[in-house]
């Protein structure tokens, strides 16, 4: 796999470090130093690339730029509590569970769950998204507010299907497996689902980076595997989406835009 990188000239060292890290993940990074990366530059260079500038490490395409910026989530975290957050009730975060987030994305849900007490393993298979998560976690470890619970987040570079299969074979058990499939199943509500996915440029860029490649991204197999290793499996869905793998949940928490479906495999 190859990836382009634009970087401002003063960040040459950061580029070299990123190039070495991606080489370890079998990605060849081709870099080009640029005097100034701004909105006009991004519009004139619409192809997908990594960017290193004063904002740190980002993914850019079509004039947009995004990063899984955990520091931007601080205000939400400060408002959050075990009572106010539906995800906290669904995952029983008050019991400080061991939790696997098998569909990492930008890690915002995992960040919230770790803040509220869970020990979270964040599993991501795409090397570009993984290094973005590594970068944002390293930045968070320098933040006075976020650093206090970063030790509860472990990043794991793996395909979630393979990783959960390995845990099944090892007989390992966890309290919770959390699933938020990137591409909700196509159903009669396809247009509503698509509209939600287009709300944020972050999601637009993620969809470009992670093109849909069959059933794996729909999470059906993940649900099957998760049911074998977890006391509870929580699936985040758009409010009107069909059930994952056509499995009726044992319990639901309903919000305005999304819901949490719960499965209790161990009864």
């Amino acid at each position: 796999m190859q990836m382009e990188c634009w970087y401002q000239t003063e960040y040459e060292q950061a580029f070299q470090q990123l190039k070495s890290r991606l080489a370890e993940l079998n990605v060849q990074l081709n870099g080009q130093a640029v005097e100034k990366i701004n909105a006009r530059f991004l519009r004139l260079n619409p192809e997908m690339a990594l960017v290193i500038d004063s904002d740190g490490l980002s993914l850019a395409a079509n004039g947009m730029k995004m990063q899984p910026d955990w520091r931007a989530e601080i205000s939400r975290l400060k408002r959050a509590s075990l009572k106010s957050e539906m995800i906290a009730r669904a995952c029983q975060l008050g019991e400080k569970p061991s939790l696997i987030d098998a569909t990492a994305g930008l890690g915002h849900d995992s960040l919230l769950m770790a803040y509220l007490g869970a020990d979270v393993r964040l599993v991501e298979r795409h090397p570009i998204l993984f290094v973005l998560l590594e970068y944002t976690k390293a930045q968070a470890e320098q933040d006075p507010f976020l650093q206090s619970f970063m030790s509860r987040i472990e990043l794991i570079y793996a395909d979630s299907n393979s990783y959960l299969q390995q845990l099944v074979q090892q007989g390992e058990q966890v309290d919770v497996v959390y699933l938020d499939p990137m591409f909700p199943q196509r159903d009669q509500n396809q247009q509503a689902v698509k509209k939600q996915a287009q709300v944020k440029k972050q999601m637009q860029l993620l969809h470009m980076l992670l093109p849909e490649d069959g059933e794996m991204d729909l999470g059906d197999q993940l649900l099957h595997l998760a049911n074998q290793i977890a006391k509870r499996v929580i699936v985040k869905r758009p409010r009107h989406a069909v059930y994952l793998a056509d499995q009726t949940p044992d319990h639901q928490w309903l919000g305005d835009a999304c819901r949490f479906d719960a499965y209790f495999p161990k009864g």
Side-chain angles (χ1 to χ4, degrees):
M1 178 180 179
Q2 293 194 31
M3 190 72 182
E4 303 302 315
C5 180
W6 308 104
Y7 63 94
Q8 288 185 185
T9 49
E10 64 265 37
Y11 299 108
E12 171 74 31
Q13 184 177 358
F15 165 72
Q16 294 298 339
Q17 290 173 343
L18 179 64
K19 183 176 182 178
S20 296
R21 179 64 180 126
L22 280 170
E24 295 171 358
L25 305 179
N26 297 315
V27 177
Q28 179 183 331
L29 191 64
N30 304 312
Q32 186 168 336
V34 179
E35 197 64 38
K36 183 66 177 175
I37 297 175
N38 53 22
R40 182 174 183 273
F41 175 86
L42 294 175
R43 285 196 304 272
L44 294 173
N45 296 275
E47 65 272 20
M48 180 167 285
L50 288 169
V51 169
I52 305 174
D53 59 10
S54 58
D55 293 329
L57 178 64
S58 307
L59 180 70
N62 291 349
M64 300 181 292
K65 191 173 75 167
M66 78 89 179
Q67 58 187 176
D69 186 358
W70 291 357
R71 287 176 296 188
E73 297 291 301
I74 290 176
S75 60
R76 179 195 177 196
L77 297 179
K78 288 183 174 178
R79 293 193 306 269
S81 70
L82 292 171
K83 287 187 176 180
S84 68
E85 294 288 342
M86 196 161 52
I87 194 173
R89 299 193 292 277
C91 296
Q92 287 190 320
L93 298 182
E95 298 184 7
K96 302 189 184 308
S98 59
L99 187 148
I100 295 174
D101 183 347
T103 48
L106 298 175
H108 293 163
D109 283 345
S110 280
L111 184 71
L112 176 65
M113 292 189 287
Y115 173 67
L116 293 175
D119 286 309
V120 183
R121 276 179 268 178
L122 198 55
V123 186
E124 177 52 53
R125 68 178 181 177
H126 196 288
I128 302 302
L129 186 50
F130 185 77
V131 295
L132 285 165
L133 287 168
E134 278 191 321
Y135 178 86
T136 204
K137 183 172 187 276
Q139 295 299 106
E141 286 167 349
Q142 305 302 314
D143 182 90
F145 179 80
L146 297 175
Q147 64 184 194
S148 62
F149 61 94
M150 280 301 106
S151 62
R152 294 202 288 269
I153 297 179
E154 179 185 2
L155 298 179
I156 295 175
Y157 179 58
D159 175 84
S160 289
N161 278 287
S162 302
Y163 184 71
L164 294 185
Q165 185 74 57
Q166 182 182 352
L167 297 187
V168 170
Q169 293 168 353
Q170 293 170 351
E172 183 172 341
Q173 296 288 304
V174 297
D175 296 320
V176 183
V177 171
Y178 178 76
L179 302 175
D180 180 10
M182 178 71 66
F183 302 99
Q185 256 171 309
R186 303 300 181 238
D187 62 332
Q188 69 274 18
N189 300 295
Q190 182 179 8
Q191 291 306 314
V193 171
K194 284 177 71 174
K195 185 176 179 181
Q196 283 181 351
Q198 291 167 352
V199 170
K200 293 185 177 180
K201 64 182 179 182
Q202 290 181 331
M203 291 306 297
Q204 291 184 40
L205 284 172
L206 274 184
H207 278 242
M208 292 172 66
L209 180 67
L210 310 169
E212 191 170 356
D213 58 0
E215 291 300 307
M216 188 180 294
D217 281 317
L218 298 179
D220 292 16
Q221 177 67 7
L222 291 179
L223 180 59
H224 170 70
L225 293 168
N227 278 328
Q228 298 178 59
I229 65 167
K231 296 175 184 174
R232 63 171 50 202
V233 181
I234 302 298
V235 182
K236 184 179 182 181
R237 305 290 281 164
R239 170 89 190 222
H240 300 292
V242 296
Y243 298 134
L244 191 61
D246 293 323
Q247 285 194 33
T248 303
D250 299 312
H251 191 72
Q252 283 186 315
W253 288 264
L254 297 173
D256 294 334
C258 72
R259 67 174 199 262
F260 293 95
D261 295 343
Y263 301 86
F264 307 128
K266 307 302 179 187

